[in-house]
């Protein structure tokens, strides 16, 4: 035996204190350049671009969740020898940031129009600097192994160049056009809103039935927005509705306004709903707009950009839309035009998710659009052909449901923060689109379009604009297409579809990513959606401050199943913290005993050595298979239970016995070192800080960040050794359970005789059994007071114990009574089957023999248990 190696725990404090080391470790990684990608490397590339967080405030628990999942993939690939690029950045979030800055200005008693466009944009850049800095710091706290040298922003110079190039190309190809269409309008922001910025809520309103026309030329219509009747240009009925056949093609008087409107026949109308007649306001309702187009109806707008009535020539001009709703209803009532009112009437109303969350106003407006037809088809075909994989596959129908039914995309916003539309208008009606390398027209009468582009336009270019497109760059050549996109299923349409459309279009059919790995939404521990109003939101920084970043990351990974929502509570993070402490203590113990992966594995390993090395190999294979399938939760579970239940609870305890034996001590040190080295590397992608501290102390290596991913670790599973260890575990567990039932204190050693241990194949583990359940060898004249039989794969072991003064006779009698009842039940079932001649004749011989064996075992058990009961003292 070699001399015992000196303890090597000096570099590790007694407890893991993440707050004291995380920042320093992260800074060291950055200074060492571990996260910086080299496009000239000959390693296989692996690239992920971050779903850019909005520069609105700070990152929330959903960001922590997503960043953890991405970092797990990136760190593993880096260890596997890939040239990894995780490209960081932020989104300018045009309408969201615009609303927040407007709110800040309002608190100061001013607004953007008072400041002017230039000053407002300057103020917004100041906002970005403040909150963008907070976001970047949080990403460091999360442990994101991003390449900070390549940080991007959707309004930086490179992104702006890409936006201009894409707009110009689409425009020249006829895929961008300007037209009057129905849009979601925010009177507060005075801008179009995208669908993602509209939340539909059930609200209580009133359904008012109105009488149009007079006598035989009258019709009743119903509406929840009475004020819009000022813009009606028709009443529509179904072509087959005989009640209105005489009115179709004729005109009736529109109350209050005094003009005549048509009655048209349109199949959109449901004749069974209400009166079967609907008012048509083409400029203020999407369905009415389509009816108006089909029948070539006038489309007068009766509201301005602030939501005030205008252009009707009535007393209601100048009123806010909600005030007008009341006043118009009162005026109609005064004329006897209100037939009925239904209050309350619950219906779905779209609300802005920005600003004051007002009801949005459907409005006909002149806007810029992308013709998505050919782009969306390409995006659908890319998934259908297998060019791009959606994971989990069960979400593919959702993808096709969106891209196969996509409407043209309104890309203009009436804001000042964002990419300004690169179109100039001349004094004689000229329209010029300007690309990135072109000079805009100048001279008197020329002016640029006032609108900016929808945020999703620039973020749709993210996978290739960040790599240098439209220019040819080493990064674009090396890292496009990116390897995988990790994002939530909730933005599959709004962001992912746009990236797919633009990537395939701009990169000549090459997809922006090979795989779309979708995750769910983080929810509270009860499964409820997190929201400020519900009071169940979580600040990830608070959990990191309390438990450490690794605990947060492990807890998040442990609830991350592909495509499904992830409920989490503080208990999850506490459990993860405890797990980290368990690993910390186990590694400190191993170091104190001289464990090292540099030692050669034993030529003649013990059963415990063979078992744990076999389990290590199985765990490594499971982890690889699971991570390739984005099964984060199952990966975390495998690592958790191997670490806690097998390594710490069993092998470390058995190692304490082996370390006291000169014949097995060196081999045990080697196995402990080997297993911990591999385990720390397997855990590193999820728990980077803890594993870095432990791995460096264990191995003396530079950093686990750049350590090779475990491949040929452990050893093939040896069934015989594994079975003996499983028998050993069962024996120890049963004796421990018996001691607990008998209320024998854990600290008390008990004299015992183990009968059948050698025959069961566990003779070599006698010392381990004695040590782990605190048994002493029996003295001369030993008289057992309690007996326990444990049936094992290798045979039964009788444990005879002298628990004088400790045994709970009543508890032992009850336990044996339960065992006797079970044996009698088993005997009864066997007797019944063997007493049935038909069964004995027809059943296979091996089945009958098996039942006879069970019958004999049950008889023996009954005899043994009965004798034991008789031997118990009376009290």
């Amino acid at each position: 035996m070699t001399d015992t190696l000196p303890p090597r725990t000096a570099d590790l404090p007694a407890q893991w204190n993440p707050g004291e080391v995380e920042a320093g470790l992260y800074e060291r990684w950055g200074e060492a350049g571990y996260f910086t990608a080299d496009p000239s490397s000959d390693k296989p590339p692996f690239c992920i671009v971050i779903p850019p967080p909005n520069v609105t405030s700070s990152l929330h628990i959903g960001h922590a969740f997503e960043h953890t999942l991405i970092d797990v993939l990136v760190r593993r690939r880096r260890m596997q020898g890939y040239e990894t690029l995780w490209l960081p950045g932020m989104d300018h979030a045009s309408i969201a940031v615009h609303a927040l800055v407007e709110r800040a200005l309002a608190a100061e008693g001013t607004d953007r129009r008072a400041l002017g466009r230039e000053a407002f944009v300057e103020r917004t850049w100041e906002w970005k600097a403040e909150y963008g800095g907070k976001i970047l710091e949080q990403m460091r706290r999360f442990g994101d192994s991003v390449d900070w040298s390549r940080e991007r922003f959707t309004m930086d110079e490179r992104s702006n160049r890409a936006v201009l190039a894409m707009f110009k190309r689409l425009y020249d190809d006829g895929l961008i056009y300007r037209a009057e269409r129905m849009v979601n309008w925010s009177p507060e922001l005075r801008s179009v809103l995208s669908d993602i910025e509209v939340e539909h809520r059930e609200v209580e309103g009133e359904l008012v039935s109105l009488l149009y026309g007079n006598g035989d030329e009258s019709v009743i219509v119903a509406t929840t927005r009475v004020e819009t009747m000022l813009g009606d240009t028709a009443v529509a009925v179904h072509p087959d509705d005989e009640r209105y056949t005489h009115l179709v093609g004729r005109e009736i008087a529109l109350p209050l306004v005094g003009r005549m409107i048509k009655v048209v026949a349109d199949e959109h109308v449901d004749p069974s709903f209400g009166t079967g007649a609907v008012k048509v306001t083409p400029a203020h309702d999407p369905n009415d707009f389509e009816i108006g187009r089909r029948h070539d109806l006038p489309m007068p707008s009766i509201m301005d950009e602030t939501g005030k009535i205008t252009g009707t020539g009535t007393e209601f001009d100048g009123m806010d839309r909600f005030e007008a709703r009341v006043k118009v209803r009162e005026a109609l009532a005064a004329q006897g035009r209100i037939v009925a009112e239904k209050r309350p009437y619950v219906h779905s109303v779209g609300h802005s998710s920005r600003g004051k969350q007002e009801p949005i106003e459907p409005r006909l407006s002149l806007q810029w659009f992308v013709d998505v037809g050919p782009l969306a088809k390409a995006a659908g075909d890319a998934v259908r052909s297998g060019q791009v994989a959606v994971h989990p596959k069960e979400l593919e129908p959702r993808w096709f449901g969106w891209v196969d039914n996509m409407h043209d995309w309104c890309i203009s916003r009436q804001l000042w923060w964002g990419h300004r539309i690169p179109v100039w208008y001349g004094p004689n009606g000229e329209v010029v689109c300007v690309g990135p390398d072109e000079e805009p027209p100048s001279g008197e009468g020329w002016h640029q379009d006032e609108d900016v582009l929808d945020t999703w336009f620039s973020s749709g270019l993210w996978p290739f604009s960040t790599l240098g497109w439209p220019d040819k760059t080493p990064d674009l050549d090396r890292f496009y297409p990116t390897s995988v996109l990790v994002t939530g299923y909730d933005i599959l349409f709004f962001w992912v579809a746009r990236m797919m459309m633009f990537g395939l279009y701009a990169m000549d059919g090459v997809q922006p990513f090979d795989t779309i790995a979708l995750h769910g939404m983080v929810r509270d521990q009860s499964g409820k959606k997190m929201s400020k109003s519900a009071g169940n939101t979580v600040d990830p920084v608070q959990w990191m401050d309390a438990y450490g970043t690794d605990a947060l990351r492990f807890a998040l990974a442990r609830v991350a199943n592909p495509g499904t929502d992830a409920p989490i509570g503080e208990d999850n993070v506490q459990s993860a913290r405890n797990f980290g402490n368990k690993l910390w203590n186990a590694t400190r113990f191993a170091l104190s005993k001289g464990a090292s992966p540099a030692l050669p594995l034993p030529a003649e390993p013990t059963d415990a050595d063979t078992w744990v090395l076999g389990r290590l190999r199985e765990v490594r294979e499971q982890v690889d298979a699971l991570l390739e399938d984005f099964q984060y939760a199952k990966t975390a579970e495998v690592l958790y239970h191997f670490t806690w239940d097998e390594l710490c609870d069993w092998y470390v305890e058995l190692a304490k016995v082996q370390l006291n034996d000169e014949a097995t001590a060196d081999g045990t040190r080697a196995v402990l070192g080997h297993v911990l080295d591999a385990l720390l590397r397997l855990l590193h992608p999820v728990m980077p800080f803890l594993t870095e501290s432990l791995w460096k102390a264990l191995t003396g290596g530079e950093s686990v960040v750049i350590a090779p991913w475990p491949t040929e670790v452990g050893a093939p599973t040896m069934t015989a050794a594994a079975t003996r260890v499983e028998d050993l575990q069962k024996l120890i567990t049963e004796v421990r359970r018996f001691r607990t039932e008998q209320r024998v204190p854990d600290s008390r050693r008990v004299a015992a005789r183990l009968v059948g241990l050698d025959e069961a194949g566990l003779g070599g583990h006698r010392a381990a059994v004695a040590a782990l359940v605190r048994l002493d060898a029996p003295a001369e004249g030993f008289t057992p007071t309690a007996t326990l039989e444990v049936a094992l794969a290798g045979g039964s072991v009788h444990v005879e114990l002298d628990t004088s003064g400790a045994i709970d006779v009543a508890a032992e009698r009850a336990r044996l009574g339960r065992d006797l009842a079970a044996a009698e039940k088993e005997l009864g079932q066997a007797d019944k089957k063997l007493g049935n001649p038909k069964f004995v004749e027809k059943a296979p011989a091996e089945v009958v023999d098996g039942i006879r064996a069970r019958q004999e075992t049950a008889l023996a058990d009954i005899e043994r248990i009965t004798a034991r009961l008789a031997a118990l003292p009376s009290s």
Side-chain angles (χ1 to χ4, degrees), residues 81-102:
Y82 286 75
E83 191 62 38
T84 57
L85 171 58
W86 183 11
L87 199 149
M90 293 177 290
D91 195 298
H92 67 282
S94 178
I95 201 160
V97 172
H98 198 287
L100 290 169
V101 176
E102 285 254 58

Side-chain angles (χ1 to χ4, degrees), residues 264-332:
V264 299
D266 194 280
E267 292 187 351
H268 169 76
V269 180
D270 180 0
S272 65
F273 182 78
T275 64
V278 297
K279 58 188 288 299
V280 181
T281 320
H284 295 277
D285 183 274
N287 293 323
D288 293 2
F289 173 72
E290 295 301 328
I291 293 175
R293 286 175 54 159
R294 287 193 289 271
H295 298 276
D296 196 24
L297 298 176
M299 300 186 182
S301 291
I302 60 158
M303 290 184 204
D304 65 14
E305 62 182 9
T306 68
K308 292 182 178 179
I309 304 299
T310 184
T312 68
T314 67
E315 61 186 288
F316 311 107
D317 284 352
M319 292 184 184
D320 176 80
R321 53 184 171 151
F322 301 117
E323 178 188 3
R325 183 170 300 172
V326 175
K327 297 298 183 182
V328 169
R329 186 182 65 244
E330 291 175 349
L332 289 168

Side-chain angles (χ1 to χ4, degrees), residues 331-637:
L332 289 168
Q335 291 187 4
R337 294 284 177 179
I338 294 184
V339 178
E341 294 181 73
K342 183 180 179 182
R343 301 184 190 180
Y345 178 74
V346 178
H347 61 125
S348 179
V349 176
H351 287 69
S352 169
S353 63
R354 309 297 181 187
K356 298 177 182 178
Q357 300 191 346
E358 62 181 345
I360 62 103
E361 188 64 42
R363 183 171 187 252
L364 187 61
S365 182
L366 182 62
Q367 302 289 339
W368 286 95
F369 293 85
V370 172
D371 176 1
V372 300
L375 306 177
K377 182 181 184 303
D381 290 346
V383 173
R384 285 190 177 91
S385 67
Q387 181 180 359
V388 177
V390 173
H391 189 282
K393 192 174 180 63
E394 293 75 29
L395 291 182
E396 273 190 7
R398 183 179 297 192
W399 171 260
F400 296 130
W402 282 333
V403 298
D404 293 348
N405 299 283
M406 195 180 295
H407 301 294
D408 283 2
W409 170 21
C410 178
I411 56 173
S412 48
R413 300 291 182 267
Q414 291 63 55
L415 306 171
W416 291 347
W417 173 244
H419 293 277
R420 197 165 172 181
I421 289 177
V423 172
W424 269 255
Y425 304 104
N428 299 312
E430 302 95 333
V431 179
V432 176
C433 179
V434 178
D437 298 315
E438 301 172 349
E439 290 294 327
S442 59
E444 186 176 351
W446 284 93
H447 64 281
Q448 187 177 358
D449 195 299
E450 294 290 327
D451 292 350
V452 299
L453 287 166
D454 178 14
T455 296
W456 299 106
F457 191 96
S458 53
S459 59
L461 312 178
W462 191 248
F464 49 96
S465 67
T466 52
L467 297 174
W469 187 89
D471 301 314
K472 295 184 180 297
T473 65
D475 280 358
L476 188 65
D477 180 64
R478 182 73 168 136
F479 295 110
Y480 189 92
T482 65
S483 306
V484 60
L485 174 73
V486 179
T487 192
Y489 63 70
D490 56 315
I491 56 173
L492 185 61
F493 169 67
F494 299 107
W495 185 46
V496 182
R498 284 157 170 74
M499 286 191 291
M500 186 82 91
M501 291 190 301
F502 279 174
L504 293 166
Y505 173 75
M507 302 301 293
D508 299 323
V510 179
Q511 69 279 8
F513 21 73
D514 298 328
T515 301
I516 304 168
L518 298 170
H519 59 73
M521 309 284 287
V522 180
R523 296 182 177 270
D524 72 10
Q525 56 193 355
S526 300
K528 296 179 181 177
K529 182 179 179 180
M530 290 187 179
S531 67
K532 291 181 180 179
S533 60
N536 62 348
T537 57
V538 172
D539 181 354
V541 173
Q542 291 182 356
W543 279 353
M544 288 190 289
D545 287 344
Y547 306 107
T549 297
D550 288 315
L552 174 65
R553 288 170 61 115
F554 191 83
L556 289 167
R558 206 173 176 190
V559 295
N561 292 296
T564 61
D565 291 342
I568 192 169
E570 191 165 2
D571 289 349
N572 301 82
V573 190
Q574 289 176 337
S575 174
R577 185 269 315 273
N578 296 342
F579 170 70
N581 289 341
K582 188 81 169 179
L583 179 61
W584 181 269
N585 292 333
T587 307
R588 287 191 84 251
F589 165 77
L591 288 171
S592 72
K593 299 300 181 182
S596 170
L599 296 171
L601 290 174
E604 297 182 2
T606 66
D607 283 347
D609 296 338
T610 302
W611 166 74
V612 79
L613 290 171
R615 285 294 299 126
L616 174 64
R617 178 162 294 188
E618 291 171 352
V619 165
R620 196 278 303 166
E621 291 171 353
Q622 286 179 288
V623 167
D624 276 337
L626 290 169
L627 286 180
E628 290 297 324
D629 197 38
F630 307 101
Q631 298 281 357
Y632 303 95
K634 291 180 180 179
T635 298
E637 285 298 303

Side-chain angles (χ1 to χ4, degrees), residues 170-197:
L170 289 166
Y171 182 88
D172 289 348
D173 286 349
L175 295 175
I176 280 184
Y177 64 92
R178 196 181 191 209
E180 277 198 323
R181 294 288 186 271
M182 189 63 56
V183 297
N184 303 311
W185 187 263
S186 166
E188 178 196 359
L189 295 172
R190 305 187 195 181
S191 175
V192 177
L193 295 181
S194 67
D195 289 340
I196 196 173
E197 288 149 344

